[in-house]
Amino acid sequence: MTLDELIERQESERERQRKLKRRILCCTAAGCMSCGAESVRKAVAAEIQAEGKEAEMEVCGTGCMGLCSRGPLVRTSDDGALYGNVDAEDAAALVSEAPAAYARLGVKRIDTSAPFFTKQKKIVLAHSGEVDPERLNDYIAAGGYQALGRALAEMTPEEVIAEIRKSGLRGRGGAGYPTALKWELVAKQSATPKYVVCNADEGDPGAFMDRSILEGDPHLVLEGMAIAGYAVGAQQGYIYVRGEYALAIQRLQAAIRQAERERLLGSRVFDESFQFRIDLRIGAGAFVCGEETALIASIEGRRGQPRQRPPYPPESGLWGQPTLINNVETFANVAPILLNGGEWFASIGSGASKGTKVFALAGKIANTGLIEVPMGIPLREIIFDIGGGVPGGGGFKAAQTGGPSGGCIPAEYLDTPVDYESLAAIGSIMGSGGLIVMDQASSMVDVARFFMEFCMDESCGKCIPCRAGTVQMHDILTRILQGEGAPDDIEMLERLCVVLRETSLCGLGQTAPNPVLSTLKYFRHEYEQLVQPKPAAAGGES
C-alpha cells in the first residue's frame, strides 16, 4: 500500500460509515467482556439480522470506554448516547428506531457532560469507543498509519527525532526519561542490527493502562514502534507482553498480520526501502521483567534477572546490540505527535511534564476505570471530580501512585499537580499510571505490608539486599499488625529502607521501601499506636 492508497482507503471507509444510520459500539475490553459485553454484541448482531437492517446498521467492538464501574458500556453513533449496565435484553431497543422502544434505554443512559468525561483530555485513548480494534479499516478511517507514511515520505530520521524532542515526551513507564534523548542514543550507535522493544510487562497491582491500550488500539502501538524503528535505524521490533493478557495478545497478533498483509509492516513498508518486522514475546508474569535488563534476558531465553549497568540498552541491549526500549503508552503517543506536531503536544501539560497521562483508577473510589488527563491536573480533581470521590461516606485518607515503587499521598497534598516533579517532591512517583484510593477505614501499616509482600514475592533473588531485606521488612510489618511489635521496630524499618534503597541491584529493590517510607512520613502515628506497650491486665503480675 502506498500513502496515496492509504488516504483513498480512509475516505472510502469513512464514506461507508457515513451511509450507516447507526453504528452500535460495544466496549469489548477485558473489563466489559468479563461482565457480559460479548453476549450484548452477539444479541445486537442477531437483532440487526432479524430486522433486516444489515445495510443500515452495524455492531462493532471497541476499546475501553473508561467508566468500567458501569460496564458493559454501549455507545450509539447517530446521537452519541452512552449506556451503562447494558445486557442482551436491551438489543432490540438499541436497534429500534421507534422512539418508544428506544426510550426504554433512558434509565441506562450516562450523562457524558459529567466531569468524568469533560475533565479528561484524550490522545492515547482518542480512538477508544470509536475504533474496532479487530478491523484495520477502522484504524485507517481514523487516520491510522498516516504518521508512519508521512515520516517515510517526507522526513529524515533526524527530523522525526527532532519532532519528538520538540514535543517534550517523556517515557510513560515510570522514570520519565526524555524519549527523544533515548532515541538519539540508539540512533547514533554504528553497530547493527538494532532493535526496538515495547515493554508491555505491566505488573503493578491495580494497573491496567497498557493492557487496555493494547486491547483497544493495537495498531496505534505498532505504528509508534515502526516510526521509532525508522528513526533509530532498526528493522526488528519485539513486544514483550505478559501471558495473562490473553485478549491483548490475540488482538496484537491479528493486528500484526493485518498490517503485514497491507505492507504497513514487514518488507518495503509503504513501498519504500524501509522494512520493519514486529514479533511478540510472551512473558510468564514476573514483575521484575518490567526492568529493562531483566526483560532483555527473558527475550533472549534466559532467566529474567537484571544485570549491572552500564552498559545501558541503547549501547548494548538485546543480544549485545543497540536497543530502544519504551513502554506501551510512550509508543502510543508517537503517531499523534507526528500528525499534530511537537509544539501541539508540548502545549498540553505543565512544566517539564508534557502531554497527557493514562491512569487506572481503583480502590475506594466511585468511578473505577480508565482515564486520560493532562499532566499537571491537581490530584483532587482526579479523585473527586473525575473519580466521583470515596463511595459510602468513608472519607478520603490517601492515594497511592506508582504501584509498589510509589508512595501514599495524604489528604493535605490533594492539590498537588500530578506531574513527575511534584509527585517526587512529596515522596511518590508517577509510575506507569496505577492510582489506588484508600478511605478512612484503611490501615496504612497494612497497605505498606501489602506492597512489601508483593515486592518480597516478586524479588528475583539475585541481590541480597532485596532478597533478604524485603523478607525482613515484611516480617516486621506483619509483627506490628499482629500487635507483637516493639518501638524499636520502627527504627529498624527505617534502617532497612536505607539499606534496600542504597544497595539493591535494580529499581525494584531500590524503590521497594517507598510505600513504607511514605506511610511512615505521613501516618507515623498509626505505626506508633500499634507498637505501644500493652497495659498489664487487671490483677495480673506487674
Side-chain angles (χ1 to χ4, degrees):
M1 183 183 293
T2 65
L3 182 56
D4 287 340
E5 290 169 342
L6 180 80
I7 294 171
E8 286 176 15
R9 178 84 67 89
Q10 178 192 32
E11 289 304 318
S12 173
E13 176 61 20
R14 284 183 171 180
E15 182 61 22
R16 186 194 71 81
Q17 292 181 13
R18 273 195 292 267
K19 289 179 178 175
L20 294 170
K21 283 186 177 177
R22 184 179 298 164
R23 298 184 84 210
I24 301 169
L25 302 149
C26 300
C27 177
T28 51
C32 280
M33 293 285 273
S34 68
C35 53
E38 185 59 22
S39 64
V40 173
R41 180 165 67 166
K42 287 180 177 176
V44 172
E47 187 66 24
I48 291 174
Q49 187 176 27
E51 293 290 321
K53 295 182 175 179
E54 294 96 328
E56 55 192 55
M57 288 190 187
E58 70 176 7
V59 59
C60 304
T62 76
C64 180
M65 295 186 186
L67 197 55
C68 303
S69 56
R70 296 286 302 275
L73 296 164
V74 174
R75 193 174 71 81
T76 47
S77 65
D78 50 332
D79 57 2
L82 178 66
Y83 302 96
N85 303 115
V86 179
D87 55 43
E89 294 181 357
D90 296 319
L94 285 165
V95 172
S96 175
E97 297 172 79
Y102 202 52
R104 75 177 289 272
L105 289 169
V107 294
K108 296 189 175 185
R109 186 160 181 168
I110 296 171
D111 179 12
T112 53
S113 65
F116 180 86
F117 300 96
T118 59
K119 291 213 167 186
Q120 293 195 50
K121 172 72 177 176
K122 294 193 175 183
I123 297 174
V124 170
L125 302 179
H127 298 155
S128 294
E130 304 284 343
V131 166
D132 186 339
E134 298 179 355
R135 292 186 73 241
L136 174 60
N137 279 353
D138 258 33
Y139 183 66
I140 290 175
Y145 285 106
Q146 289 192 25
L148 174 61
R150 296 189 188 285
L152 297 180
E154 302 168 4
M155 302 173 77
T156 65
E158 292 78 15
E159 288 172 333
V160 172
I161 294 176
E163 205 63 38
I164 298 298
R165 186 189 308 112
K166 197 184 300 180
S167 75
L169 176 65
R170 297 168 66 175
R172 299 305 197 237
Y177 194 81
T179 301
L181 183 55
K182 188 181 275 191
W183 288 27
E184 282 175 333
L185 290 171
V186 179
K188 74 179 185 181
Q189 301 296 322
S190 58
T192 57
K194 300 177 184 180
Y195 298 103
V196 171
V197 174
C198 177
N199 184 348
D201 194 53
E202 181 178 56
D204 292 2
F208 51 91
M209 305 77 56
D210 290 351
R211 189 200 73 207
S212 298
I213 295 168
L214 293 173
E215 289 173 352
D217 211 354
H219 285 287
L220 183 65
V221 180
L222 300 182
E223 186 178 6
M225 290 181 67
I227 293 169
Y230 173 66
V232 305
Q235 297 181 347
Q236 176 68 53
Y238 292 99
I239 301 176
Y240 186 84
V241 56
R242 53 179 44 224
E244 297 98 316
Y245 287 3
L247 184 60
I249 291 170
Q250 173 192 323
R251 289 180 177 167
L252 276 170
Q253 290 171 331
I256 290 171
R257 285 196 298 271
Q258 292 168 352
E260 287 180 340
R261 194 160 51 237
E262 299 289 352
R263 293 285 181 90
L264 300 169
L265 288 177
S267 59
R268 295 195 61 77
V269 175
F270 278 108
D271 213 20
E272 301 277 350
S273 59
F274 175 64
Q275 58 181 12
F276 192 74
R277 283 185 52 83
I278 296 178
D279 292 307
L280 300 188
R281 290 293 182 268
I282 312 300
F287 180 68
V288 73
C289 286
E291 198 276 343
E292 289 185 344
T293 59
L295 181 153
I296 287 170
S298 182
I299 291 178
E300 291 174 344
R302 297 183 289 116
R303 183 173 180 179
Q305 288 186 319
R307 63 162 170 79
Q308 191 73 41
R309 298 180 297 177
Y312 292 92
E315 180 185 356
S316 178
L318 200 55
W319 293 294
Q321 297 299 121
T323 302
L324 171 69
I325 304 178
N326 283 134
N327 87 328
V328 171
E329 188 179 343
T330 308
F331 282 124
N333 272 297
V334 171
I337 288 172
L338 288 202
L339 282 177
N340 297 287
E343 290 181 359
W344 162 80
F345 189 85
S347 69
I348 303 164
S350 65
S353 301
K354 304 299 186 186
T356 59
K357 182 74 193 79
V358 179
F359 285 99
L361 297 183
K364 304 291 186 180
I365 192 161
N367 299 331
T368 54
L370 192 73
I371 64 167
E372 183 175 3
V373 292
M375 290 278 197
I377 186 173
L379 182 61
R380 183 185 300 278
E381 288 189 28
I382 293 180
I383 293 173
F384 289 96
D385 295 345
I386 298 174
V390 178
F396 173 83
K397 187 172 192 178
Q400 209 274 351
T401 64
S405 301
C408 294
I409 303 169
E412 64 195 89
Y413 290 108
L414 272 171
D415 292 314
T416 300
V418 176
D419 58 44
Y420 293 103
E421 285 70 28
S422 300
L423 290 180
I426 57 173
S428 190
I429 62 171
M430 180 80 73
S432 59
L435 200 161
I436 301 173
V437 176
M438 286 151 276
D439 66 7
Q440 290 294 337
S442 303
S443 161
M444 301 312 292
V445 183
D446 197 30
V447 169
R449 186 198 59 80
F450 168 80
F451 282 109
M452 189 52 61
E453 183 175 21
F454 179 84
C455 292
M456 177 182 70
D457 290 343
E458 295 293 337
S459 173
C460 74
K462 185 172 182 176
C463 74
I464 293 173
C466 179
R467 182 179 71 225
T470 53
V471 173
Q472 292 297 317
M473 293 182 71
H474 179 262
D475 286 350
I476 293 172
L477 289 163
T478 301
R479 194 164 64 238
I480 291 174
L481 281 165
Q482 291 174 342
E484 299 169 357
D488 290 350
D489 283 335
I490 296 178
E491 182 185 351
M492 180 56 73
L493 274 177
E494 291 174 321
R495 291 169 61 188
L496 285 167
C497 284
V498 174
V499 171
L500 262 72
R501 188 180 60 202
E502 301 296 331
T503 63
S504 293
L505 175 61
C506 78
L508 188 153
Q510 292 163 7
T511 58
N514 285 354
V516 176
L517 287 168
S518 66
T519 50
L520 276 171
K521 181 177 181 180
Y522 297 120
F523 303 95
R524 192 181 186 90
H525 60 282
E526 293 194 19
Y527 286 84
E528 291 173 341
Q529 286 171 1
L530 289 168
V531 298
Q532 288 298 317
K534 305 294 183 295
E541 295 181 2
S542 63

